Amino acid sequence: MFLDTVLARNPGLADTAAALHRDGAIPPDTYVVDRDAVERNAALLAERAGDLGLSLWFVVKQLGRNPELIAAVARHIPSSAAIDAPEARALHAAGARPGNIGHLVQIPRRALPGMLAWRPEAVTVFDTDNARAVSDEARRQGFVQDVLLRLAGAPGSVYPGQEGGVPPDGVDAFAEEAEALPGIRIAGVTGFPCLLCDPSTGAPRPTETFTLLLEARARLERRGHRGLKVSAPGATSAAALPLLARLGATHGEPGHALTGTTPLHALDPGQPERPGYVYITEVAHTLADGRPALLGGGFYPRAGIRDALLPRTGLRLPVREMPAENIDYYRLLAPPPPGAARVRAGDTAVLAFRTQMFVTRSSVAVVAGLSSGEPRLTGLYDSLGRAL
């Protein structure tokens, strides 16, 4: 999905990653991330958001909650959005400020005391039970916690496994109960996804959920709430920021833009964010019909994988599709064309596709110095950010 973009915009990353594998410095099934590119992208997003009067909370699940990369982003975007409690802990340990916690996953009750002690900017709550739990703990700690109302997504827009939130017609009822809780203050609204990339052009466009979000804000304003935050995550990138500002959002939550890997970047390599990672693996064996099998572990089901580059031979071979319900022990390539160089077991393969590193079995290697022409491996981690 992103191989052409990487080879055009950041070829040194592909070369360095292949060399690291060839020399045995990294194992197969490793994402190699260009720390310089990630930091440059963060700086770009922060500057453009500032010019538009927008605030940003950055997301790192797609980067494997990596402490080096968190620190690099936080130098420019200080506050984060944690999608669940383990991610919130990883972000906090790496020095990022807690911006929005509890979205996409509610904070478990027994985790609330420790996380509220950090005094996050906002806690997203899906219903009055969770609002009450946050209020009780904040009151016990002697302060009032800002909360964001999570709005249920528009019909047909919610991804399976992400259900929940206040129904659009239940905003007033939720607000009436929340207003009576002494430990919280309704500070805004959020939902997901608020922007999606057009499948044909890649251009970001608002969803019906975004429209419902603005209507929910209006309902809360009629109840006397002022200065409300509107966090509108989904496809947040430099190209999307003017749209967010024009439609009335106050916050964006960049994730894939930090590595230049939104769907827009696949269709338009000229976007300002620089592509920031590749996936490295190797040929495990070749089937009798000539199809090479790559070692798996990092082939995310929604990746949009198209082809793989085998640097030793220069071959680019199409990657065969595989049902998402099967474990990716291997991933098959198309057979090499007649007369092509023979593919060997152990050959390095370079791929670039959309991923969520934190749900893979992969390693994550961080490389610095590519921007100055002196690349070096600075760390090797598991997919949850723990040093190997």
Side-chain angles (χ1 to χ4, degrees), residues 20-202:
L20 287 170
H21 174 259
R22 183 191 64 229
D23 297 342
I26 61 171
D29 181 25
T30 294
Y31 287 98
V32 181
V33 186
D34 179 352
R35 194 179 75 191
D36 298 359
V38 170
E39 182 158 1
R40 176 189 175 277
N41 292 339
L44 168 78
L45 290 162
E47 180 181 6
R48 297 203 176 181
D51 290 343
L52 293 164
L54 289 169
S55 297
L56 298 178
W57 289 323
F58 74 92
V59 180
V60 293
K61 62 188 175 73
Q62 74 286 348
L63 295 175
R65 300 170 176 168
N66 187 277
E68 280 193 61
L69 302 174
I70 291 170
V73 174
R75 284 192 280 272
H76 306 277
I77 306 173
S79 296
S80 62
I83 62 110
D84 60 14
E87 183 157 299
R89 294 187 187 100
L91 285 157
H92 185 257
R97 297 178 197 163
N100 180 16
I101 64 173
H103 187 246
L104 300 164
V105 181
Q106 292 288 269
I107 301 301
R109 302 301 168 87
R110 292 161 187 82
L112 279 172
M115 293 189 181
L116 293 192
W118 304 336
R119 300 299 190 265
E121 293 176 43
V123 176
T124 293
V125 292
F126 282 41
D127 56 22
T128 52
D129 279 349
N130 282 280
R132 187 172 295 106
V134 173
S135 175
D136 290 346
E137 180 54 35
R139 191 178 184 192
R140 190 187 70 79
Q141 295 190 24
F143 77 106
V144 176
Q145 173 64 57
D146 280 358
V147 299
L148 302 182
L149 177 160
R150 154 69 183 245
L151 196 71
S157 72
V158 179
Y159 298 120
Q162 297 183 21
E163 299 87 353
V166 177
D169 60 1
V171 170
D172 283 302
F174 171 88
E176 184 174 357
E177 290 193 57
E179 288 160 359
L181 298 173
I184 62 171
R185 182 181 76 91
I186 297 175
V189 293
T190 189
F192 185 81
C194 294
L195 296 182
L196 288 174
C197 292
D198 184 277
S200 58
T201 67

